[in-house]
Amino acid sequence: MHERHRGLTQAVAAAYEEAASVSLNRYHAPPIEITLSDNGTETTAELRWLTPDVRTIGAWANTTDTTENGAYCCVIAGIELLRSLFAVRRAETGTGADYYIGPPGSGKNDLEDCLRLEVSGVGGGDSQEVRTRLARKVQQAREGDSSLPALAGVIGFSARLLVVQDVREEA
């Protein structure tokens, strides 16, 4: 991932990938079919990962951290697949987002052509819990201290569902 996403170093991408493999491995064996929902339009994709060994599972024993970091991996990869957008830079606290994303080559000098991306993950919940979490993340992005447009994305590891939604300003 780090080769395509300037906002991820090799070490950060590797950690996110490990966390995603542990999060997915809690519920499934690879490969699986996952539903991708982009503003309500659904497609499917095959999701593959390396089965983590005992040491890796032990290193990621904290479920909260594992789910959060695994979500970064899956949602950033999903945004790349769905919209051809890439992680440009980590977002600052208070912006209502986790990452800035944009088309290839964006964000080198400024963030004018970028969007904010708010990310979350749900471990054992069902599709309704994933969609409920998405609504909270959309609101969080809406309330962020930034004028840049935003997206929110949530991965449901057990539910095999990745949902992405544009954050629209409230009327």
Side-chain angles (χ1 to χ4, degrees), residues 110-146:
D110 58 47
L111 298 171
E112 287 182 16
D113 52 353
C114 294
L115 298 105
R116 295 174 294 132
L117 175 63
E118 175 58 25
V119 175
S120 189
V122 175
D126 62 11
S127 62
Q128 183 57 46
E129 187 173 340
V130 174
R131 293 179 194 287
T132 299
R133 176 76 57 87
L134 178 67
R136 288 198 312 258
K137 292 298 166 175
V138 164
Q139 188 60 35
Q140 181 178 333
R142 190 176 284 134
E143 293 170 356
D145 186 20
S146 175

PDB file of all heavy atoms in Angstrom, residues 110-146:
ATOM      1  N   ASP A 110      -0.345  21.495  -1.408  1.00  0.00           N
ATOM      2  CA  ASP A 110      -1.435  21.918  -0.537  1.00  0.00           C
ATOM      3  C   ASP A 110      -2.536  20.867  -0.611  1.00  0.00           C
ATOM      4  O   ASP A 110      -2.422  19.895  -1.345  1.00  0.00           O
ATOM      5  CB  ASP A 110      -1.952  23.316  -0.921  1.00  0.00           C
ATOM      6  CG  ASP A 110      -2.444  23.383  -2.358  1.00  0.00           C
ATOM      7  OD1 ASP A 110      -3.199  22.486  -2.785  1.00  0.00           O
ATOM      8  OD2 ASP A 110      -2.073  24.327  -3.080  1.00  0.00           O
ATOM      9  N   LEU A 111      -3.588  21.070   0.136  1.00  0.00           N
ATOM     10  CA  LEU A 111      -4.672  20.081   0.209  1.00  0.00           C
ATOM     11  C   LEU A 111      -5.932  20.540  -0.516  1.00  0.00           C
ATOM     12  O   LEU A 111      -6.997  19.951  -0.333  1.00  0.00           O
ATOM     13  CB  LEU A 111      -4.986  19.780   1.681  1.00  0.00           C
ATOM     14  CG  LEU A 111      -3.838  19.161   2.477  1.00  0.00           C
ATOM     15  CD1 LEU A 111      -4.190  19.106   3.962  1.00  0.00           C
ATOM     16  CD2 LEU A 111      -3.490  17.781   1.946  1.00  0.00           C
ATOM     17  N   GLU A 112      -5.824  21.574  -1.362  1.00  0.00           N
ATOM     18  CA  GLU A 112      -7.002  22.135  -2.024  1.00  0.00           C
ATOM     19  C   GLU A 112      -7.781  21.126  -2.848  1.00  0.00           C
ATOM     20  O   GLU A 112      -8.996  21.201  -2.932  1.00  0.00           O
ATOM     21  CB  GLU A 112      -6.605  23.315  -2.911  1.00  0.00           C
ATOM     22  CG  GLU A 112      -6.248  24.555  -2.131  1.00  0.00           C
ATOM     23  CD  GLU A 112      -5.917  25.721  -3.033  1.00  0.00           C
ATOM     24  OE1 GLU A 112      -6.247  25.667  -4.236  1.00  0.00           O
ATOM     25  OE2 GLU A 112      -5.340  26.690  -2.538  1.00  0.00           O
ATOM     26  N   ASP A 113      -7.098  20.168  -3.461  1.00  0.00           N
ATOM     27  CA  ASP A 113      -7.780  19.193  -4.312  1.00  0.00           C
ATOM     28  C   ASP A 113      -8.021  17.866  -3.592  1.00  0.00           C
ATOM     29  O   ASP A 113      -8.282  16.849  -4.217  1.00  0.00           O
ATOM     30  CB  ASP A 113      -6.994  18.963  -5.606  1.00  0.00           C
ATOM     31  CG  ASP A 113      -5.533  18.626  -5.373  1.00  0.00           C
ATOM     32  OD1 ASP A 113      -5.076  18.699  -4.215  1.00  0.00           O
ATOM     33  OD2 ASP A 113      -4.838  18.299  -6.355  1.00  0.00           O
ATOM     34  N   CYS A 114      -7.960  17.905  -2.268  1.00  0.00           N
ATOM     35  CA  CYS A 114      -8.131  16.688  -1.468  1.00  0.00           C
ATOM     36  C   CYS A 114      -9.470  16.681  -0.742  1.00  0.00           C
ATOM     37  O   CYS A 114     -10.161  17.688  -0.680  1.00  0.00           O
ATOM     38  CB  CYS A 114      -7.002  16.576  -0.439  1.00  0.00           C
ATOM     39  SG  CYS A 114      -5.388  16.325  -1.192  1.00  0.00           S
ATOM     40  N   LEU A 115      -9.798  15.525  -0.215  1.00  0.00           N
ATOM     41  CA  LEU A 115     -10.968  15.349   0.631  1.00  0.00           C
ATOM     42  C   LEU A 115     -10.494  14.806   1.964  1.00  0.00           C
ATOM     43  O   LEU A 115      -9.418  14.224   2.061  1.00  0.00           O
ATOM     44  CB  LEU A 115     -11.929  14.319   0.019  1.00  0.00           C
ATOM     45  CG  LEU A 115     -12.525  14.625  -1.327  1.00  0.00           C
ATOM     46  CD1 LEU A 115     -11.841  13.775  -2.379  1.00  0.00           C
ATOM     47  CD2 LEU A 115     -13.993  14.291  -1.305  1.00  0.00           C
ATOM     48  N   ARG A 116     -11.335  14.955   2.975  1.00  0.00           N
ATOM     49  CA  ARG A 116     -11.078  14.324   4.263  1.00  0.00           C
ATOM     50  C   ARG A 116     -11.726  12.947   4.261  1.00  0.00           C
ATOM     51  O   ARG A 116     -12.769  12.760   3.658  1.00  0.00           O
ATOM     52  CB  ARG A 116     -11.675  15.163   5.395  1.00  0.00           C
ATOM     53  CG  ARG A 116     -11.029  16.528   5.538  1.00  0.00           C
ATOM     54  CD  ARG A 116     -11.727  17.399   6.575  1.00  0.00           C
ATOM     55  NE  ARG A 116     -13.072  17.725   6.136  1.00  0.00           N
ATOM     56  CZ  ARG A 116     -14.173  17.624   6.888  1.00  0.00           C
ATOM     57  NH1 ARG A 116     -14.097  17.217   8.149  1.00  0.00           N
ATOM     58  NH2 ARG A 116     -15.358  17.944   6.411  1.00  0.00           N
ATOM     59  N   LEU A 117     -11.094  12.000   4.948  1.00  0.00           N
ATOM     60  CA  LEU A 117     -11.642  10.652   5.075  1.00  0.00           C
ATOM     61  C   LEU A 117     -11.714  10.289   6.546  1.00  0.00           C
ATOM     62  O   LEU A 117     -10.695  10.233   7.221  1.00  0.00           O
ATOM     63  CB  LEU A 117     -10.771   9.635   4.336  1.00  0.00           C
ATOM     64  CG  LEU A 117     -11.167   8.156   4.498  1.00  0.00           C
ATOM     65  CD1 LEU A 117     -12.559   7.891   3.914  1.00  0.00           C
ATOM     66  CD2 LEU A 117     -10.129   7.257   3.853  1.00  0.00           C
ATOM     67  N   GLU A 118     -12.922  10.050   7.025  1.00  0.00           N
ATOM     68  CA  GLU A 118     -13.144   9.581   8.391  1.00  0.00           C
ATOM     69  C   GLU A 118     -13.357   8.075   8.330  1.00  0.00           C
ATOM     70  O   GLU A 118     -14.168   7.584   7.536  1.00  0.00           O
ATOM     71  CB  GLU A 118     -14.359  10.280   9.004  1.00  0.00           C
ATOM     72  CG  GLU A 118     -14.758   9.780  10.368  1.00  0.00           C
ATOM     73  CD  GLU A 118     -13.674   9.883  11.428  1.00  0.00           C
ATOM     74  OE1 GLU A 118     -12.771  10.733  11.315  1.00  0.00           O
ATOM     75  OE2 GLU A 118     -13.734   9.098  12.388  1.00  0.00           O
ATOM     76  N   VAL A 119     -12.621   7.323   9.149  1.00  0.00           N
ATOM     77  CA  VAL A 119     -12.576   5.862   9.076  1.00  0.00           C
ATOM     78  C   VAL A 119     -13.021   5.248  10.401  1.00  0.00           C
ATOM     79  O   VAL A 119     -12.701   5.761  11.471  1.00  0.00           O
ATOM     80  CB  VAL A 119     -11.142   5.388   8.764  1.00  0.00           C
ATOM     81  CG1 VAL A 119     -11.034   3.879   8.803  1.00  0.00           C
ATOM     82  CG2 VAL A 119     -10.669   5.938   7.424  1.00  0.00           C
ATOM     83  N   SER A 120     -13.715   4.113  10.308  1.00  0.00           N
ATOM     84  CA  SER A 120     -14.026   3.333  11.497  1.00  0.00           C
ATOM     85  C   SER A 120     -14.172   1.869  11.115  1.00  0.00           C
ATOM     86  O   SER A 120     -14.323   1.534   9.939  1.00  0.00           O
ATOM     87  CB  SER A 120     -15.314   3.830  12.151  1.00  0.00           C
ATOM     88  OG  SER A 120     -15.501   3.204  13.413  1.00  0.00           O
ATOM     89  N   GLY A 121     -14.141   1.022  12.128  1.00  0.00           N
ATOM     90  CA  GLY A 121     -14.319  -0.403  11.920  1.00  0.00           C
ATOM     91  C   GLY A 121     -15.229  -0.994  12.983  1.00  0.00           C
ATOM     92  O   GLY A 121     -15.278  -0.510  14.112  1.00  0.00           O
ATOM     93  N   VAL A 122     -15.938  -2.028  12.601  1.00  0.00           N
ATOM     94  CA  VAL A 122     -16.814  -2.768  13.508  1.00  0.00           C
ATOM     95  C   VAL A 122     -16.352  -4.216  13.464  1.00  0.00           C
ATOM     96  O   VAL A 122     -16.271  -4.803  12.378  1.00  0.00           O
ATOM     97  CB  VAL A 122     -18.295  -2.655  13.072  1.00  0.00           C
ATOM     98  CG1 VAL A 122     -19.175  -3.531  13.942  1.00  0.00           C
ATOM     99  CG2 VAL A 122     -18.751  -1.204  13.101  1.00  0.00           C
ATOM    100  N   GLY A 123     -16.050  -4.768  14.620  1.00  0.00           N
ATOM    101  CA  GLY A 123     -15.570  -6.149  14.669  1.00  0.00           C
ATOM    102  C   GLY A 123     -16.679  -7.145  14.425  1.00  0.00           C
ATOM    103  O   GLY A 123     -16.887  -7.606  13.315  1.00  0.00           O
ATOM    104  N   GLY A 124     -17.422  -7.493  15.469  1.00  0.00           N
ATOM    105  CA  GLY A 124     -18.395  -8.568  15.387  1.00  0.00           C
ATOM    106  C   GLY A 124     -19.803  -8.161  15.051  1.00  0.00           C
ATOM    107  O   GLY A 124     -20.697  -8.994  15.096  1.00  0.00           O
ATOM    108  N   GLY A 125     -20.059  -6.916  14.734  1.00  0.00           N
ATOM    109  CA  GLY A 125     -21.423  -6.462  14.481  1.00  0.00           C
ATOM    110  C   GLY A 125     -21.962  -6.878  13.128  1.00  0.00           C
ATOM    111  O   GLY A 125     -21.226  -7.317  12.248  1.00  0.00           O
ATOM    112  N   ASP A 126     -23.273  -6.711  12.968  1.00  0.00           N
ATOM    113  CA  ASP A 126     -23.928  -7.033  11.712  1.00  0.00           C
ATOM    114  C   ASP A 126     -23.986  -5.800  10.807  1.00  0.00           C
ATOM    115  O   ASP A 126     -23.484  -4.734  11.158  1.00  0.00           O
ATOM    116  CB  ASP A 126     -25.322  -7.615  11.964  1.00  0.00           C
ATOM    117  CG  ASP A 126     -26.262  -6.646  12.672  1.00  0.00           C
ATOM    118  OD1 ASP A 126     -25.947  -5.440  12.808  1.00  0.00           O
ATOM    119  OD2 ASP A 126     -27.341  -7.101  13.107  1.00  0.00           O
ATOM    120  N   SER A 127     -24.621  -5.946   9.653  1.00  0.00           N
ATOM    121  CA  SER A 127     -24.662  -4.852   8.679  1.00  0.00           C
ATOM    122  C   SER A 127     -25.387  -3.625   9.230  1.00  0.00           C
ATOM    123  O   SER A 127     -25.012  -2.495   8.908  1.00  0.00           O
ATOM    124  CB  SER A 127     -25.306  -5.310   7.371  1.00  0.00           C
ATOM    125  OG  SER A 127     -26.640  -5.714   7.570  1.00  0.00           O
ATOM    126  N   GLN A 128     -26.395  -3.811  10.075  1.00  0.00           N
ATOM    127  CA  GLN A 128     -27.085  -2.667  10.666  1.00  0.00           C
ATOM    128  C   GLN A 128     -26.149  -1.872  11.571  1.00  0.00           C
ATOM    129  O   GLN A 128     -26.155  -0.646  11.562  1.00  0.00           O
ATOM    130  CB  GLN A 128     -28.326  -3.117  11.440  1.00  0.00           C
ATOM    131  CG  GLN A 128     -29.122  -1.959  12.017  1.00  0.00           C
ATOM    132  CD  GLN A 128     -29.572  -0.966  10.953  1.00  0.00           C
ATOM    133  OE1 GLN A 128     -30.074  -1.341   9.899  1.00  0.00           O
ATOM    134  NE2 GLN A 128     -29.369   0.322  11.208  1.00  0.00           N
ATOM    135  N   GLU A 129     -25.330  -2.573  12.350  1.00  0.00           N
ATOM    136  CA  GLU A 129     -24.374  -1.874  13.207  1.00  0.00           C
ATOM    137  C   GLU A 129     -23.343  -1.106  12.373  1.00  0.00           C
ATOM    138  O   GLU A 129     -22.950   0.000  12.727  1.00  0.00           O
ATOM    139  CB  GLU A 129     -23.670  -2.863  14.139  1.00  0.00           C
ATOM    140  CG  GLU A 129     -22.797  -2.161  15.167  1.00  0.00           C
ATOM    141  CD  GLU A 129     -22.219  -3.108  16.199  1.00  0.00           C
ATOM    142  OE1 GLU A 129     -22.736  -4.215  16.387  1.00  0.00           O
ATOM    143  OE2 GLU A 129     -21.211  -2.706  16.831  1.00  0.00           O
ATOM    144  N   VAL A 130     -22.938  -1.678  11.253  1.00  0.00           N
ATOM    145  CA  VAL A 130     -21.993  -0.996  10.361  1.00  0.00           C
ATOM    146  C   VAL A 130     -22.624   0.290   9.824  1.00  0.00           C
ATOM    147  O   VAL A 130     -21.996   1.356   9.829  1.00  0.00           O
ATOM    148  CB  VAL A 130     -21.552  -1.924   9.207  1.00  0.00           C
ATOM    149  CG1 VAL A 130     -20.684  -1.181   8.195  1.00  0.00           C
ATOM    150  CG2 VAL A 130     -20.815  -3.141   9.759  1.00  0.00           C
ATOM    151  N   ARG A 131     -23.863   0.224   9.412  1.00  0.00           N
ATOM    152  CA  ARG A 131     -24.533   1.411   8.851  1.00  0.00           C
ATOM    153  C   ARG A 131     -24.822   2.460   9.938  1.00  0.00           C
ATOM    154  O   ARG A 131     -24.748   3.659   9.675  1.00  0.00           O
ATOM    155  CB  ARG A 131     -25.799   0.998   8.118  1.00  0.00           C
ATOM    156  CG  ARG A 131     -25.470   0.178   6.869  1.00  0.00           C
ATOM    157  CD  ARG A 131     -26.711  -0.280   6.107  1.00  0.00           C
ATOM    158  NE  ARG A 131     -26.413  -1.300   5.137  1.00  0.00           N
ATOM    159  CZ  ARG A 131     -25.780  -1.126   3.985  1.00  0.00           C
ATOM    160  NH1 ARG A 131     -25.368   0.073   3.659  1.00  0.00           N
ATOM    161  NH2 ARG A 131     -25.574  -2.129   3.149  1.00  0.00           N
ATOM    162  N   THR A 132     -25.106   2.003  11.145  1.00  0.00           N
ATOM    163  CA  THR A 132     -25.293   2.937  12.262  1.00  0.00           C
ATOM    164  C   THR A 132     -23.983   3.660  12.563  1.00  0.00           C
ATOM    165  O   THR A 132     -23.958   4.873  12.777  1.00  0.00           O
ATOM    166  CB  THR A 132     -25.805   2.199  13.512  1.00  0.00           C
ATOM    167  OG1 THR A 132     -27.076   1.612  13.197  1.00  0.00           O
ATOM    168  CG2 THR A 132     -25.937   3.112  14.710  1.00  0.00           C
ATOM    169  N   ARG A 133     -22.885   2.925  12.568  1.00  0.00           N
ATOM    170  CA  ARG A 133     -21.571   3.535  12.790  1.00  0.00           C
ATOM    171  C   ARG A 133     -21.255   4.531  11.682  1.00  0.00           C
ATOM    172  O   ARG A 133     -20.700   5.599  11.924  1.00  0.00           O
ATOM    173  CB  ARG A 133     -20.498   2.452  12.855  1.00  0.00           C
ATOM    174  CG  ARG A 133     -19.064   2.954  12.984  1.00  0.00           C
ATOM    175  CD  ARG A 133     -18.706   3.452  14.387  1.00  0.00           C
ATOM    176  NE  ARG A 133     -18.907   2.440  15.389  1.00  0.00           N
ATOM    177  CZ  ARG A 133     -18.008   1.517  15.739  1.00  0.00           C
ATOM    178  NH1 ARG A 133     -16.825   1.501  15.177  1.00  0.00           N
ATOM    179  NH2 ARG A 133     -18.310   0.632  16.666  1.00  0.00           N
ATOM    180  N   LEU A 134     -21.610   4.200  10.442  1.00  0.00           N
ATOM    181  CA  LEU A 134     -21.369   5.116   9.325  1.00  0.00           C
ATOM    182  C   LEU A 134     -22.090   6.436   9.562  1.00  0.00           C
ATOM    183  O   LEU A 134     -21.505   7.507   9.347  1.00  0.00           O
ATOM    184  CB  LEU A 134     -21.813   4.493   8.000  1.00  0.00           C
ATOM    185  CG  LEU A 134     -21.630   5.400   6.778  1.00  0.00           C
ATOM    186  CD1 LEU A 134     -20.145   5.646   6.496  1.00  0.00           C
ATOM    187  CD2 LEU A 134     -22.320   4.793   5.566  1.00  0.00           C
ATOM    188  N   ALA A 135     -23.319   6.385  10.018  1.00  0.00           N
ATOM    189  CA  ALA A 135     -24.071   7.618  10.280  1.00  0.00           C
ATOM    190  C   ALA A 135     -23.358   8.475  11.327  1.00  0.00           C
ATOM    191  O   ALA A 135     -23.287   9.706  11.188  1.00  0.00           O
ATOM    192  CB  ALA A 135     -25.493   7.288  10.730  1.00  0.00           C
ATOM    193  N   ARG A 136     -22.806   7.849  12.373  1.00  0.00           N
ATOM    194  CA  ARG A 136     -22.063   8.607  13.394  1.00  0.00           C
ATOM    195  C   ARG A 136     -20.796   9.207  12.812  1.00  0.00           C
ATOM    196  O   ARG A 136     -20.423  10.338  13.143  1.00  0.00           O
ATOM    197  CB  ARG A 136     -21.730   7.708  14.577  1.00  0.00           C
ATOM    198  CG  ARG A 136     -22.924   7.368  15.437  1.00  0.00           C
ATOM    199  CD  ARG A 136     -22.572   6.863  16.823  1.00  0.00           C
ATOM    200  NE  ARG A 136     -21.563   5.843  16.879  1.00  0.00           N
ATOM    201  CZ  ARG A 136     -21.795   4.544  17.054  1.00  0.00           C
ATOM    202  NH1 ARG A 136     -23.029   4.102  17.183  1.00  0.00           N
ATOM    203  NH2 ARG A 136     -20.803   3.684  17.116  1.00  0.00           N
ATOM    204  N   LYS A 137     -20.121   8.483  11.938  1.00  0.00           N
ATOM    205  CA  LYS A 137     -18.884   8.971  11.336  1.00  0.00           C
ATOM    206  C   LYS A 137     -19.158  10.091  10.345  1.00  0.00           C
ATOM    207  O   LYS A 137     -18.367  11.027  10.218  1.00  0.00           O
ATOM    208  CB  LYS A 137     -18.104   7.819  10.683  1.00  0.00           C
ATOM    209  CG  LYS A 137     -17.566   6.846  11.711  1.00  0.00           C
ATOM    210  CD  LYS A 137     -16.589   7.587  12.618  1.00  0.00           C
ATOM    211  CE  LYS A 137     -16.236   6.863  13.871  1.00  0.00           C
ATOM    212  NZ  LYS A 137     -15.218   7.565  14.653  1.00  0.00           N
ATOM    213  N   VAL A 138     -20.262  10.026   9.635  1.00  0.00           N
ATOM    214  CA  VAL A 138     -20.661  11.120   8.748  1.00  0.00           C
ATOM    215  C   VAL A 138     -20.874  12.382   9.574  1.00  0.00           C
ATOM    216  O   VAL A 138     -20.393  13.467   9.223  1.00  0.00           O
ATOM    217  CB  VAL A 138     -21.927  10.750   7.939  1.00  0.00           C
ATOM    218  CG1 VAL A 138     -22.572  11.982   7.317  1.00  0.00           C
ATOM    219  CG2 VAL A 138     -21.595   9.703   6.883  1.00  0.00           C
ATOM    220  N   GLN A 139     -21.565  12.259  10.698  1.00  0.00           N
ATOM    221  CA  GLN A 139     -21.801  13.415  11.572  1.00  0.00           C
ATOM    222  C   GLN A 139     -20.493  13.958  12.133  1.00  0.00           C
ATOM    223  O   GLN A 139     -20.284  15.163  12.198  1.00  0.00           O
ATOM    224  CB  GLN A 139     -22.770  13.057  12.694  1.00  0.00           C
ATOM    225  CG  GLN A 139     -23.209  14.242  13.518  1.00  0.00           C
ATOM    226  CD  GLN A 139     -23.927  15.309  12.695  1.00  0.00           C
ATOM    227  OE1 GLN A 139     -24.661  15.012  11.753  1.00  0.00           O
ATOM    228  NE2 GLN A 139     -23.698  16.567  13.029  1.00  0.00           N
ATOM    229  N   GLN A 140     -19.598  13.066  12.547  1.00  0.00           N
ATOM    230  CA  GLN A 140     -18.304  13.496  13.073  1.00  0.00           C
ATOM    231  C   GLN A 140     -17.531  14.279  12.017  1.00  0.00           C
ATOM    232  O   GLN A 140     -16.946  15.338  12.318  1.00  0.00           O
ATOM    233  CB  GLN A 140     -17.485  12.279  13.513  1.00  0.00           C
ATOM    234  CG  GLN A 140     -16.133  12.639  14.091  1.00  0.00           C
ATOM    235  CD  GLN A 140     -15.368  11.409  14.553  1.00  0.00           C
ATOM    236  OE1 GLN A 140     -15.963  10.395  14.906  1.00  0.00           O
ATOM    237  NE2 GLN A 140     -14.057  11.504  14.550  1.00  0.00           N
ATOM    238  N   ALA A 141     -17.519  13.806  10.791  1.00  0.00           N
ATOM    239  CA  ALA A 141     -16.824  14.516   9.716  1.00  0.00           C
ATOM    240  C   ALA A 141     -17.494  15.867   9.440  1.00  0.00           C
ATOM    241  O   ALA A 141     -16.811  16.873   9.220  1.00  0.00           O
ATOM    242  CB  ALA A 141     -16.793  13.665   8.453  1.00  0.00           C
ATOM    243  N   ARG A 142     -18.816  15.880   9.490  1.00  0.00           N
ATOM    244  CA  ARG A 142     -19.566  17.120   9.250  1.00  0.00           C
ATOM    245  C   ARG A 142     -19.201  18.185  10.287  1.00  0.00           C
ATOM    246  O   ARG A 142     -19.127  19.367   9.982  1.00  0.00           O
ATOM    247  CB  ARG A 142     -21.063  16.809   9.305  1.00  0.00           C
ATOM    248  CG  ARG A 142     -21.953  17.933   8.850  1.00  0.00           C
ATOM    249  CD  ARG A 142     -23.411  17.513   8.829  1.00  0.00           C
ATOM    250  NE  ARG A 142     -23.662  16.676   7.670  1.00  0.00           N
ATOM    251  CZ  ARG A 142     -24.347  15.536   7.688  1.00  0.00           C
ATOM    252  NH1 ARG A 142     -24.875  15.084   8.803  1.00  0.00           N
ATOM    253  NH2 ARG A 142     -24.528  14.843   6.588  1.00  0.00           N
ATOM    254  N   GLU A 143     -18.951  17.756  11.529  1.00  0.00           N
ATOM    255  CA  GLU A 143     -18.650  18.688  12.618  1.00  0.00           C
ATOM    256  C   GLU A 143     -17.173  19.058  12.700  1.00  0.00           C
ATOM    257  O   GLU A 143     -16.782  19.873  13.531  1.00  0.00           O
ATOM    258  CB  GLU A 143     -19.106  18.074  13.943  1.00  0.00           C
ATOM    259  CG  GLU A 143     -20.606  17.930  14.038  1.00  0.00           C
ATOM    260  CD  GLU A 143     -21.062  17.120  15.232  1.00  0.00           C
ATOM    261  OE1 GLU A 143     -20.218  16.583  15.990  1.00  0.00           O
ATOM    262  OE2 GLU A 143     -22.295  17.017  15.429  1.00  0.00           O
ATOM    263  N   GLY A 144     -16.337  18.488  11.848  1.00  0.00           N
ATOM    264  CA  GLY A 144     -14.907  18.742  11.891  1.00  0.00           C
ATOM    265  C   GLY A 144     -14.554  20.167  11.509  1.00  0.00           C
ATOM    266  O   GLY A 144     -15.278  20.831  10.763  1.00  0.00           O
ATOM    267  N   ASP A 145     -13.441  20.625  12.028  1.00  0.00           N
ATOM    268  CA  ASP A 145     -12.955  21.984  11.783  1.00  0.00           C
ATOM    269  C   ASP A 145     -12.124  21.996  10.503  1.00  0.00           C
ATOM    270  O   ASP A 145     -10.897  22.024  10.541  1.00  0.00           O
ATOM    271  CB  ASP A 145     -12.128  22.455  12.982  1.00  0.00           C
ATOM    272  CG  ASP A 145     -11.725  23.914  12.857  1.00  0.00           C
ATOM    273  OD1 ASP A 145     -12.369  24.646  12.074  1.00  0.00           O
ATOM    274  OD2 ASP A 145     -10.758  24.311  13.523  1.00  0.00           O
ATOM    275  N   SER A 146     -12.822  21.949   9.363  1.00  0.00           N
ATOM    276  CA  SER A 146     -12.169  21.972   8.060  1.00  0.00           C
ATOM    277  C   SER A 146     -13.197  22.353   7.009  1.00  0.00           C
ATOM    278  O   SER A 146     -14.362  21.982   7.113  1.00  0.00           O
ATOM    279  CB  SER A 146     -11.576  20.603   7.725  1.00  0.00           C
ATOM    280  OG  SER A 146     -11.046  20.602   6.418  1.00  0.00           O
TER     281      SER A 146
END
